[in-house]
Amino acid sequence: MDLLDILTDKGLRRELPTREEALAVLATTDDQLLDVVAAAGRVRRQWFGRRVKLNYLVNLKSGLCPEDCSYCSQRLGSKAEILKYTWLKPDQAAQAAAAGVAGGAKRVCLVASGRGPTDRDIDRVADTIAAIKGADEGVEVCACLGLLSDNQAERLKAAGADAYNHNLNTSEATYGDITTTHTYADRVDTVAKAHGAGLSACSGLIAGMGESDADLVDVVFALRELDPDSVPVNFLIPFEGTPLAEEWNLTPQRCLRILAMVRFVCPDIEVRIAGGREVHLRSMQPLGLHIANSIFLGDYLTSEGQAGQADLDMIKDAGFEVEGAEQTTLPRHRVHAAATGCGGHQEEGACGTGGGCGPCGGHGESAPAVGAAGAVGAVGVVEAVGAVAAPGAEDEARTDLVRVRRRGAGTELAPNA
């Protein structure tokens, strides 16, 4: 059997590939790319059918983070001209969430910049969860608030949270090169706290930060060992004003190989194409749907995604369907008896289907203005971030696609209208 036959067979049996096999996926040629996508697609369809889960980000608190994560536009010392504001009120966050749900989102991801939440912050988020679920009790809510202290995960679970996101981002060996204000072990501990509280764990990675193939394989195998229900795959958005502003080293083909490797290592786990999808996959985004079974709808934390309707059209045109609230995200064997929310509702005979939330990492400045309709922020002029392409990458890097989000969360507009 050749490599792809072996990997497909293992994926259909939920058997972990070897590190050498995972590395070999990343080393395949462009001539082999469609074969790689087809093989990963067979595994994806086995466990998730042709459904695509939609997720929607609500940025509860934006900017001025005390952590120094090199990839983040909200980091300590960032000069990125992003929106900065303190905590949204529960009704404002619920309004933002409702826009995503109206666009087809099944899960709302509540994200706040900062090292981690205070106990008062947990109370704020609990009130926000109540407001969101008061409007739609069936919506899934994932919190992404940074590093958790003891008993905070349990409090979020009691408040109605279904999941918690905290990404590993990169390999343990290179983590110190990306962030110095906390450790890789701190992130692993937070994922463990979420698991221990009965929350559905969501943890993923960021590709394109200058890491090696071995680093990518290391972090994906580490994620598999942590056994999250969802693995968001972010592709670095090189924001001007951050240390990684010139890291333009991803191509659409490279992104597809990374997604395929993640799918083979995590065959029965929700694989989500998260931040950077539009910037790096570009016109090849539909091929990514044959590998991943989950995407974010509309905008990200501090950057714009493509129009929400364009996402819906892409899903339909590629022959997929949006996963409904009544459908089970995860395969039956992964649906935990106690986690009735994170996997959706169990249905008879369902095999299941289904950016975490983006890297979170600060204390807000001043809240954006509340308009006459009670919406936070205003629709402004979209500004392109003028990042510089790496030498020799002029024909590959599309720096003009990186656009700062100029609209506050909670507007009356539909996702990215």
Side-chain angles (χ1 to χ4, degrees):
M1 298 175 70
D2 67 13
L3 171 68
L4 295 179
D5 288 336
I6 292 171
L7 288 169
T8 301
D9 185 59
K10 286 186 174 182
L12 297 178
R13 292 185 284 113
R14 294 189 287 126
E15 181 181 334
L16 193 68
T18 66
R19 284 182 48 84
E20 291 71 24
E21 290 165 344
L23 284 166
V25 174
L26 298 178
T28 54
T29 67
D30 286 352
D31 287 341
Q32 298 170 299
L33 183 62
L34 289 180
D35 293 330
V36 172
V37 172
R42 282 194 61 194
V43 178
R44 180 245 201 268
R45 291 191 300 276
Q46 165 74 15
W47 302 113
F48 300 99
R50 300 190 68 83
R51 298 190 296 229
V52 178
K53 182 175 183 177
L54 298 181
N55 309 269
Y56 188 69
L57 284 169
V58 177
N59 197 358
L60 296 178
K61 181 164 71 77
S62 180
L64 298 177
C65 182
E67 303 300 288
D68 67 355
C69 306
S70 299
Y71 52 79
C72 187
S73 60
Q74 304 182 80
R75 74 187 297 272
L76 178 69
S78 171
K79 293 180 173 56
E81 297 181 356
I82 61 170
L83 285 170
K84 301 179 180 70
Y85 53 86
T86 192
W87 288 92
L88 298 184
K89 295 178 181 178
D91 62 331
Q92 295 169 334
Q95 184 179 4
V101 173
K106 181 176 180 177
R107 171 173 289 190
V108 172
C109 303
L110 303 177
V111 189
S113 62
R115 178 179 177 85
T118 64
D119 287 341
R120 183 184 177 190
D121 293 336
I122 295 293
D123 291 337
R124 286 190 177 104
V125 175
D127 291 342
T128 298
I129 294 171
I132 292 172
K133 295 216 169 188
D136 185 347
E137 63 179 12
V139 67
E140 298 176 14
V141 176
C142 177
C144 178
L145 311 173
L147 301 172
L148 292 175
S149 301
D150 290 343
N151 299 318
Q152 289 185 329
E154 286 79 5
R155 290 177 62 194
L156 288 170
K157 174 70 173 178
D162 300 293
Y164 195 84
N165 164 260
H166 201 61
N167 297 327
L168 295 188
N169 290 330
T170 192
S171 69
E172 183 175 12
T174 59
Y175 196 84
D177 298 331
I178 300 298
T179 304
T180 66
T181 48
H182 61 265
T183 67
Y184 179 90
D186 290 333
R187 287 188 171 265
V188 172
D189 178 66
T190 288
V191 177
K193 282 184 169 68
H195 260 314
L199 292 167
S200 175
C202 173
S203 187
L205 66 143
I206 305 174
M209 298 191 290
E211 70 283 335
S212 67
D213 285 1
D215 290 323
L216 286 171
V217 171
D218 281 349
V219 68
V220 176
F221 270 69
L223 287 167
R224 178 69 192 204
E225 188 173 343
L226 286 176
D227 195 33
D229 290 326
S230 177
V231 174
V233 180
N234 295 277
F235 300 110
L236 176 71
I237 302 176
F239 269 95
E240 184 177 349
T242 66
L244 299 182
E246 297 187 18
E247 286 289 343
W248 287 95
N249 49 43
L250 292 173
T251 65
Q253 294 81 5
R254 170 76 168 167
C255 293
L256 289 170
R257 291 187 191 98
I258 292 169
L259 287 171
M261 185 270 288
V262 175
R263 172 57 72 201
F264 289 129
V265 178
C266 305
D268 59 342
I269 293 174
E270 176 191 341
V271 175
R272 184 183 312 165
I273 314 177
R277 163 168 62 94
E278 299 85 348
V279 176
H280 296 294
L281 279 170
R282 303 194 289 275
S283 62
M284 296 179 75
Q285 291 180 65
L287 282 180
L289 295 178
H290 288 271
I291 304 171
N293 59 290
S294 180
I295 64 172
F296 279 108
L297 177 72
D299 294 337
Y300 301 99
L301 294 178
T302 60
S303 63
E304 285 199 337
Q306 70 183 17
Q309 187 59 51
D311 287 336
L312 299 176
D313 291 343
M314 175 181 70
I315 291 168
K316 182 179 179 181
D317 291 346
F320 294 89
E321 62 182 33
V322 174
E323 180 177 306
E326 78 287 353
Q327 293 172 305
T328 306
T329 295
L330 296 172
R332 187 186 300 274
H333 61 270
R334 288 194 61 87
V335 177
H336 306 295
T340 57
C342 67
H345 302 289
Q346 187 68 35
E347 57 177 309
E348 185 65 28
C351 69
T353 307
C357 306
C360 60
H363 301 289
E365 209 167 47
S366 57
V370 178
V376 179
V379 180
V381 177
V382 176
E383 298 181 4
V385 175
V388 180
E394 292 84 355
D395 294 332
E396 298 172 352
R398 287 287 306 280
T399 61
D400 59 300
L401 294 179
V402 183
R403 297 181 182 274
V404 173
R405 184 173 182 171
R406 288 298 178 214
R407 178 173 64 206
T411 67
E412 70 277 13
L413 299 176
N416 224 1

mmCIF file of all heavy atoms in Angstrom, residues 257-286:
data_model
loop_
_atom_site.group_PDB
_atom_site.id
_atom_site.type_symbol
_atom_site.label_atom_id
_atom_site.label_comp_id
_atom_site.label_asym_id
_atom_site.label_seq_id
_atom_site.Cartn_x
_atom_site.Cartn_y
_atom_site.Cartn_z
ATOM 1 N N ARG A 257 -2.036 20.873 2.642
ATOM 2 C CA ARG A 257 -1.257 19.736 3.184
ATOM 3 C C ARG A 257 -1.317 19.727 4.711
ATOM 4 O O ARG A 257 -1.417 18.657 5.327
ATOM 5 C CB ARG A 257 0.199 19.837 2.724
ATOM 6 C CG ARG A 257 0.407 19.593 1.233
ATOM 7 C CD ARG A 257 1.896 19.543 0.892
ATOM 8 N NE ARG A 257 2.067 19.570 -0.548
ATOM 9 C CZ ARG A 257 2.352 20.663 -1.267
ATOM 10 N NH1 ARG A 257 2.528 21.820 -0.644
ATOM 11 N NH2 ARG A 257 2.476 20.597 -2.567
ATOM 12 N N ILE A 258 -1.236 20.911 5.317
ATOM 13 C CA ILE A 258 -1.321 20.988 6.780
ATOM 14 C C ILE A 258 -2.681 20.502 7.255
ATOM 15 O O ILE A 258 -2.782 19.709 8.203
ATOM 16 C CB ILE A 258 -1.051 22.429 7.252
ATOM 17 C CG1 ILE A 258 0.410 22.803 6.988
ATOM 18 C CG2 ILE A 258 -1.377 22.582 8.737
ATOM 19 C CD1 ILE A 258 0.712 24.283 7.173
ATOM 20 N N LEU A 259 -3.745 20.950 6.608
ATOM 21 C CA LEU A 259 -5.087 20.498 6.985
ATOM 22 C C LEU A 259 -5.215 18.987 6.845
ATOM 23 O O LEU A 259 -5.812 18.318 7.701
ATOM 24 C CB LEU A 259 -6.136 21.196 6.123
ATOM 25 C CG LEU A 259 -6.404 22.671 6.425
ATOM 26 C CD1 LEU A 259 -7.299 23.271 5.340
ATOM 27 C CD2 LEU A 259 -7.044 22.847 7.798
ATOM 28 N N ALA A 260 -4.677 18.438 5.761
ATOM 29 C CA ALA A 260 -4.759 16.990 5.546
ATOM 30 C C ALA A 260 -3.999 16.237 6.633
ATOM 31 O O ALA A 260 -4.482 15.209 7.151
ATOM 32 C CB ALA A 260 -4.214 16.635 4.164
ATOM 33 N N MET A 261 -2.821 16.733 6.996
ATOM 34 C CA MET A 261 -2.052 16.076 8.059
ATOM 35 C C MET A 261 -2.831 16.075 9.368
ATOM 36 O O MET A 261 -2.891 15.064 10.087
ATOM 37 C CB MET A 261 -0.704 16.782 8.226
ATOM 38 C CG MET A 261 0.238 16.119 9.236
ATOM 39 S SD MET A 261 0.040 16.755 10.920
ATOM 40 C CE MET A 261 0.777 18.392 10.753
ATOM 41 N N VAL A 262 -3.462 17.216 9.683
ATOM 42 C CA VAL A 262 -4.265 17.290 10.902
ATOM 43 C C VAL A 262 -5.426 16.296 10.833
ATOM 44 O O VAL A 262 -5.727 15.602 11.810
ATOM 45 C CB VAL A 262 -4.787 18.724 11.124
ATOM 46 C CG1 VAL A 262 -5.725 18.766 12.335
ATOM 47 C CG2 VAL A 262 -3.626 19.694 11.324
ATOM 48 N N ARG A 263 -6.081 16.203 9.694
ATOM 49 C CA ARG A 263 -7.201 15.265 9.563
ATOM 50 C C ARG A 263 -6.748 13.825 9.752
ATOM 51 O O ARG A 263 -7.422 13.035 10.418
ATOM 52 C CB ARG A 263 -7.871 15.444 8.190
ATOM 53 C CG ARG A 263 -8.923 14.396 7.874
ATOM 54 C CD ARG A 263 -10.021 14.338 8.936
ATOM 55 N NE ARG A 263 -10.909 15.484 8.891
ATOM 56 C CZ ARG A 263 -11.660 15.872 9.922
ATOM 57 N NH1 ARG A 263 -11.610 15.226 11.088
ATOM 58 N NH2 ARG A 263 -12.455 16.921 9.814
ATOM 59 N N PHE A 264 -5.610 13.445 9.197
ATOM 60 C CA PHE A 264 -5.141 12.065 9.352
ATOM 61 C C PHE A 264 -4.783 11.755 10.803
ATOM 62 O O PHE A 264 -5.010 10.635 11.282
ATOM 63 C CB PHE A 264 -3.930 11.801 8.453
ATOM 64 C CG PHE A 264 -4.254 11.744 6.992
ATOM 65 C CD1 PHE A 264 -3.541 12.491 6.067
ATOM 66 C CD2 PHE A 264 -5.276 10.932 6.520
ATOM 67 C CE1 PHE A 264 -3.840 12.431 4.711
ATOM 68 C CE2 PHE A 264 -5.588 10.860 5.161
ATOM 69 C CZ PHE A 264 -4.860 11.617 4.254
ATOM 70 N N VAL A 265 -4.230 12.742 11.523
ATOM 71 C CA VAL A 265 -3.871 12.527 12.927
ATOM 72 C C VAL A 265 -5.101 12.608 13.821
ATOM 73 O O VAL A 265 -5.175 11.957 14.860
ATOM 74 C CB VAL A 265 -2.802 13.548 13.373
ATOM 75 C CG1 VAL A 265 -2.455 13.368 14.860
ATOM 76 C CG2 VAL A 265 -1.528 13.398 12.536
ATOM 77 N N CYS A 266 -6.094 13.393 13.406
ATOM 78 C CA CYS A 266 -7.317 13.589 14.191
ATOM 79 C C CYS A 266 -8.533 13.229 13.340
ATOM 80 O O CYS A 266 -9.364 14.096 13.030
ATOM 81 C CB CYS A 266 -7.413 15.036 14.649
ATOM 82 S SG CYS A 266 -5.981 15.644 15.563
ATOM 83 N N PRO A 267 -8.673 11.971 12.941
ATOM 84 C CA PRO A 267 -9.707 11.609 11.967
ATOM 85 C C PRO A 267 -11.131 11.844 12.437
ATOM 86 O O PRO A 267 -11.990 12.228 11.642
ATOM 87 C CB PRO A 267 -9.444 10.118 11.720
ATOM 88 C CG PRO A 267 -8.717 9.638 12.935
ATOM 89 C CD PRO A 267 -7.881 10.805 13.369
ATOM 90 N N ASP A 268 -11.395 11.655 13.723
ATOM 91 C CA ASP A 268 -12.767 11.745 14.241
ATOM 92 C C ASP A 268 -12.985 12.966 15.115
ATOM 93 O O ASP A 268 -13.924 13.025 15.896
ATOM 94 C CB ASP A 268 -13.108 10.476 15.021
ATOM 95 C CG ASP A 268 -12.166 10.231 16.196
ATOM 96 O OD1 ASP A 268 -11.071 10.831 16.215
ATOM 97 O OD2 ASP A 268 -12.520 9.439 17.087
ATOM 98 N N ILE A 269 -12.116 13.962 14.985
ATOM 99 C CA ILE A 269 -12.206 15.191 15.752
ATOM 100 C C ILE A 269 -12.629 16.320 14.819
ATOM 101 O O ILE A 269 -12.251 16.347 13.649
ATOM 102 C CB ILE A 269 -10.847 15.514 16.419
ATOM 103 C CG1 ILE A 269 -10.523 14.461 17.490
ATOM 104 C CG2 ILE A 269 -10.834 16.915 17.033
ATOM 105 C CD1 ILE A 269 -9.147 14.598 18.095
ATOM 106 N N GLU A 270 -13.439 17.244 15.328
ATOM 107 C CA GLU A 270 -13.829 18.398 14.521
ATOM 108 C C GLU A 270 -12.598 19.214 14.151
ATOM 109 O O GLU A 270 -11.919 19.757 15.015
ATOM 110 C CB GLU A 270 -14.815 19.273 15.305
ATOM 111 C CG GLU A 270 -15.209 20.552 14.589
ATOM 112 C CD GLU A 270 -15.967 21.524 15.478
ATOM 113 O OE1 GLU A 270 -16.509 21.092 16.528
ATOM 114 O OE2 GLU A 270 -16.001 22.705 15.135
ATOM 115 N N VAL A 271 -12.289 19.284 12.874
ATOM 116 C CA VAL A 271 -11.170 20.090 12.388
ATOM 117 C C VAL A 271 -11.757 21.361 11.783
ATOM 118 O O VAL A 271 -12.554 21.301 10.847
ATOM 119 C CB VAL A 271 -10.324 19.337 11.348
ATOM 120 C CG1 VAL A 271 -9.242 20.251 10.775
ATOM 121 C CG2 VAL A 271 -9.684 18.098 11.977
ATOM 122 N N ARG A 272 -11.363 22.500 12.336
ATOM 123 C CA ARG A 272 -11.929 23.787 11.931
ATOM 124 C C ARG A 272 -10.890 24.629 11.206
ATOM 125 O O ARG A 272 -9.785 24.824 11.708
ATOM 126 C CB ARG A 272 -12.432 24.533 13.167
ATOM 127 C CG ARG A 272 -13.130 25.851 12.869
ATOM 128 C CD ARG A 272 -13.530 26.546 14.159
ATOM 129 N NE ARG A 272 -14.212 25.624 15.067
ATOM 130 C CZ ARG A 272 -14.410 25.885 16.353
ATOM 131 N NH1 ARG A 272 -13.976 27.011 16.877
ATOM 132 N NH2 ARG A 272 -15.045 25.004 17.109
ATOM 133 N N ILE A 273 -11.242 25.136 10.039
ATOM 134 C CA ILE A 273 -10.379 26.115 9.382
ATOM 135 C C ILE A 273 -10.683 27.457 10.024
ATOM 136 O O ILE A 273 -11.795 27.968 9.912
ATOM 137 C CB ILE A 273 -10.621 26.188 7.869
ATOM 138 C CG1 ILE A 273 -10.695 24.797 7.243
ATOM 139 C CG2 ILE A 273 -9.493 26.992 7.209
ATOM 140 C CD1 ILE A 273 -10.995 24.808 5.751
ATOM 141 N N ALA A 274 -9.694 28.023 10.701
ATOM 142 C CA ALA A 274 -9.923 29.221 11.497
ATOM 143 C C ALA A 274 -9.272 30.435 10.835
ATOM 144 O O ALA A 274 -9.334 30.611 9.627
ATOM 145 C CB ALA A 274 -9.424 28.980 12.922
ATOM 146 N N GLY A 275 -8.630 31.294 11.622
ATOM 147 C CA GLY A 275 -8.092 32.545 11.112
ATOM 148 C C GLY A 275 -7.128 32.357 9.953
ATOM 149 O O GLY A 275 -6.348 31.412 9.930
ATOM 150 N N GLY A 276 -7.165 33.278 8.992
ATOM 151 C CA GLY A 276 -6.250 33.246 7.865
ATOM 152 C C GLY A 276 -6.733 32.459 6.673
ATOM 153 O O GLY A 276 -6.027 32.364 5.666
ATOM 154 N N ARG A 277 -7.922 31.899 6.773
ATOM 155 C CA ARG A 277 -8.462 31.084 5.674
ATOM 156 C C ARG A 277 -8.513 31.872 4.371
ATOM 157 O O ARG A 277 -8.063 31.403 3.324
ATOM 158 C CB ARG A 277 -9.852 30.585 6.073
ATOM 159 C CG ARG A 277 -10.716 30.077 4.924
ATOM 160 C CD ARG A 277 -11.942 29.352 5.451
ATOM 161 N NE ARG A 277 -12.829 30.176 6.249
ATOM 162 C CZ ARG A 277 -13.888 30.834 5.777
ATOM 163 N NH1 ARG A 277 -14.157 30.800 4.489
ATOM 164 N NH2 ARG A 277 -14.672 31.519 6.588
ATOM 165 N N GLU A 278 -9.083 33.062 4.439
ATOM 166 C CA GLU A 278 -9.256 33.858 3.229
ATOM 167 C C GLU A 278 -7.927 34.379 2.694
ATOM 168 O O GLU A 278 -7.745 34.509 1.477
ATOM 169 C CB GLU A 278 -10.182 35.048 3.518
ATOM 170 C CG GLU A 278 -11.574 34.645 3.967
ATOM 171 C CD GLU A 278 -11.674 34.387 5.454
ATOM 172 O OE1 GLU A 278 -10.627 34.297 6.139
ATOM 173 O OE2 GLU A 278 -12.806 34.267 5.956
ATOM 174 N N VAL A 279 -6.989 34.666 3.590
ATOM 175 C CA VAL A 279 -5.709 35.252 3.206
ATOM 176 C C VAL A 279 -4.808 34.231 2.519
ATOM 177 O O VAL A 279 -4.129 34.543 1.533
ATOM 178 C CB VAL A 279 -4.995 35.837 4.449
ATOM 179 C CG1 VAL A 279 -3.615 36.370 4.083
ATOM 180 C CG2 VAL A 279 -5.836 36.938 5.066
ATOM 181 N N HIS A 280 -4.802 32.991 3.016
ATOM 182 C CA HIS A 280 -3.824 32.013 2.537
ATOM 183 C C HIS A 280 -4.400 30.932 1.629
ATOM 184 O O HIS A 280 -3.729 30.494 0.689
ATOM 185 C CB HIS A 280 -3.123 31.378 3.733
ATOM 186 C CG HIS A 280 -2.315 32.353 4.538
ATOM 187 N ND1 HIS A 280 -1.196 32.980 4.037
ATOM 188 C CD2 HIS A 280 -2.476 32.824 5.801
ATOM 189 C CE1 HIS A 280 -0.687 33.794 4.960
ATOM 190 N NE2 HIS A 280 -1.456 33.710 6.045
ATOM 191 N N LEU A 281 -5.612 30.464 1.879
ATOM 192 C CA LEU A 281 -6.225 29.495 0.967
ATOM 193 C C LEU A 281 -6.813 30.174 -0.272
ATOM 194 O O LEU A 281 -6.849 29.604 -1.351
ATOM 195 C CB LEU A 281 -7.319 28.691 1.685
ATOM 196 C CG LEU A 281 -6.850 27.537 2.550
ATOM 197 C CD1 LEU A 281 -8.005 26.993 3.374
ATOM 198 C CD2 LEU A 281 -6.253 26.425 1.692
ATOM 199 N N ARG A 282 -7.314 31.367 -0.081
ATOM 200 C CA ARG A 282 -7.838 32.181 -1.178
ATOM 201 C C ARG A 282 -8.840 31.398 -2.033
ATOM 202 O O ARG A 282 -9.828 30.880 -1.509
ATOM 203 C CB ARG A 282 -6.675 32.747 -2.003
ATOM 204 C CG ARG A 282 -5.706 33.580 -1.146
ATOM 205 C CD ARG A 282 -4.759 34.399 -1.973
ATOM 206 N NE ARG A 282 -3.738 33.650 -2.668
ATOM 207 C CZ ARG A 282 -2.576 33.281 -2.140
ATOM 208 N NH1 ARG A 282 -2.304 33.539 -0.864
ATOM 209 N NH2 ARG A 282 -1.680 32.632 -2.864
ATOM 210 N N SER A 283 -8.605 31.298 -3.320
ATOM 211 C CA SER A 283 -9.577 30.651 -4.209
ATOM 212 C C SER A 283 -9.651 29.148 -4.007
ATOM 213 O O SER A 283 -10.533 28.485 -4.562
ATOM 214 C CB SER A 283 -9.236 30.954 -5.675
ATOM 215 O OG SER A 283 -7.958 30.432 -6.010
ATOM 216 N N MET A 284 -8.749 28.590 -3.190
ATOM 217 C CA MET A 284 -8.758 27.152 -2.932
ATOM 218 C C MET A 284 -9.471 26.806 -1.628
ATOM 219 O O MET A 284 -9.407 25.668 -1.161
ATOM 220 C CB MET A 284 -7.326 26.613 -2.947
ATOM 221 C CG MET A 284 -6.679 26.750 -4.322
ATOM 222 S SD MET A 284 -4.975 26.167 -4.405
ATOM 223 C CE MET A 284 -5.235 24.397 -4.378
ATOM 224 N N GLN A 285 -10.189 27.768 -1.066
ATOM 225 C CA GLN A 285 -10.948 27.493 0.158
ATOM 226 C C GLN A 285 -11.913 26.309 0.014
ATOM 227 O O GLN A 285 -12.027 25.502 0.942
ATOM 228 C CB GLN A 285 -11.740 28.726 0.587
ATOM 229 C CG GLN A 285 -10.897 29.882 1.092
ATOM 230 C CD GLN A 285 -11.765 31.056 1.483
ATOM 231 O OE1 GLN A 285 -12.561 30.979 2.415
ATOM 232 N NE2 GLN A 285 -11.637 32.167 0.771
ATOM 233 N N PRO A 286 -12.639 26.185 -1.115
ATOM 234 C CA PRO A 286 -13.563 25.050 -1.224
ATOM 235 C C PRO A 286 -12.883 23.693 -1.067
ATOM 236 O O PRO A 286 -13.489 22.763 -0.523
ATOM 237 C CB PRO A 286 -14.168 25.220 -2.628
ATOM 238 C CG PRO A 286 -14.081 26.692 -2.890
ATOM 239 C CD PRO A 286 -12.777 27.109 -2.262
#
